[in-house]
Amino acid sequence: MMTYQIKIKGMSCQNCVRHVTEALTEIPGTINVKLSLEENQAVVETQEKMDPQVFRQALEEAGYSMEDVAAS
């Protein structure tokens, strides 16, 4: 299992949190998504290592952008 901390730009309300959560949850291999509006950050757990561009694409399609990603 891999964990990614993703900094997100463009979230301003709980509706944004819902949209981002849905976008990240739909990525194949995603196990869990936790979002923090206050920190503009998502913590995503996946079954295996993923290319960060997968997260960037999902966020951009939902109308947001990824500032940074860190894997652990």
Side-chain angles (χ1 to χ4, degrees):
M1 185 169 73
M2 294 288 298
T3 301
Y4 296 88
Q5 292 184 349
I6 305 169
K7 284 292 209 182
I8 301 166
K9 187 174 181 180
M11 293 192 307
S12 60
C13 64
Q14 289 301 319
N15 200 35
C16 296
V17 169
R18 183 176 56 81
H19 283 132
V20 170
T21 300
E22 288 173 358
L24 294 173
T25 301
E26 289 176 3
I27 297 172
T30 299
I31 298 170
N32 190 29
V33 176
K34 294 180 187 171
L35 248 77
S36 169
L37 180 59
E38 295 77 22
E39 296 177 15
N40 290 314
Q41 178 175 286
V43 176
V44 180
E45 295 176 344
T46 63
Q47 293 174 348
E48 56 191 35
K49 186 174 181 180
M50 308 211 28
D51 182 343
Q53 292 303 320
V54 172
F55 302 122
R56 182 180 306 280
Q57 181 178 353
L59 290 168
E60 288 177 356
E61 287 176 4
Y64 304 90
S65 59
M66 182 174 79
E67 292 183 338
D68 191 29
V69 63
S72 59

